[in-house]
Amino acid sequence: MYVYVIVMVWKRYAQYESQSVQFIDSHPDKADTGSLLYNVGSKTKAQCAHHLPTVVQLIVEDKIKTDIQATAAVSYILAHAMKDLNRTELEKECGVGIIVTPAEIEETVKCIIGTYKEKLIIERYQFPVGKILVY
């Protein structure tokens, strides 16, 4: 499965095929990386393909770790297809280095719900959920 995913991504950009084979040989335990590479390869347009090696490098270096970050990377390179790529700006746009733990998410949700708890109990299904979502 992992090899298939890498090959599918790189078939689209055959010039990088040897790099993908080297990656597969040296990182057989990274199944998530294959999924990210597939997503990037399937979402990348031809006009920004010349920026693809930078995004792939960020994935291989474990700087891009989630589908959301990969999607942000593709959006960034698409928006900057005709410009030189600023790697620092790309990393910032993708949220490289930002890690949110499940405990942090749970604490934030508790805080937000706690802020509106009384109104939620009183208004129940009539409570405007948008207040919570934009908090």
Side-chain angles (χ1 to χ4, degrees):
M1 171 68 180
Y2 183 70
V3 173
Y4 174 75
V5 169
I6 299 294
V7 170
M8 289 301 293
V9 171
W10 291 111
K11 266 192 170 181
R12 190 167 179 188
Y13 306 101
Q15 63 196 21
Y16 306 112
E17 191 172 356
S18 65
Q19 292 175 359
S20 66
V21 171
Q22 290 172 355
F23 177 78
I24 293 167
D25 291 341
S26 61
H27 301 88
D29 58 333
K30 296 193 176 191
D32 292 341
T33 303
S35 175
L36 291 173
L37 290 171
Y38 176 80
N39 288 341
V40 167
S42 63
K43 293 177 184 176
T44 303
K45 307 288 185 212
Q47 64 264 32
C48 59
H50 58 284
H51 293 315
L52 187 62
T54 305
V55 176
V56 170
Q57 185 177 11
L58 289 172
I59 293 171
V60 170
E61 293 171 354
D62 277 337
K63 291 185 175 184
I64 292 179
K65 298 179 182 186
T66 65
D67 286 331
I68 295 170
Q69 289 177 318
T71 301
V74 171
S75 296
Y76 181 86
I77 63 172
L78 187 57
H80 295 83
M82 297 302 181
K83 303 174 187 171
D84 288 336
L85 190 67
N86 182 339
R87 185 177 169 132
T88 306
E89 193 176 309
L90 171 63
E91 289 179 7
K92 182 179 176 186
E93 287 290 318
C94 295
V96 169
I98 297 174
I99 299 171
V100 180
T101 65
E104 290 174 320
I105 294 170
E106 187 175 329
E107 185 61 35
T108 302
V109 170
K110 281 181 184 179
C111 178
I112 294 170
I113 297 296
T115 303
Y116 294 104
K117 186 174 183 177
E118 289 180 26
K119 285 187 174 185
L120 280 166
I121 291 171
I122 294 168
E123 297 179 23
R124 297 183 56 116
Y125 297 104
Q126 284 76 37
F127 183 82
V129 180
K131 285 184 179 182
I132 294 174
L133 296 177
V134 297
Y135 189 80

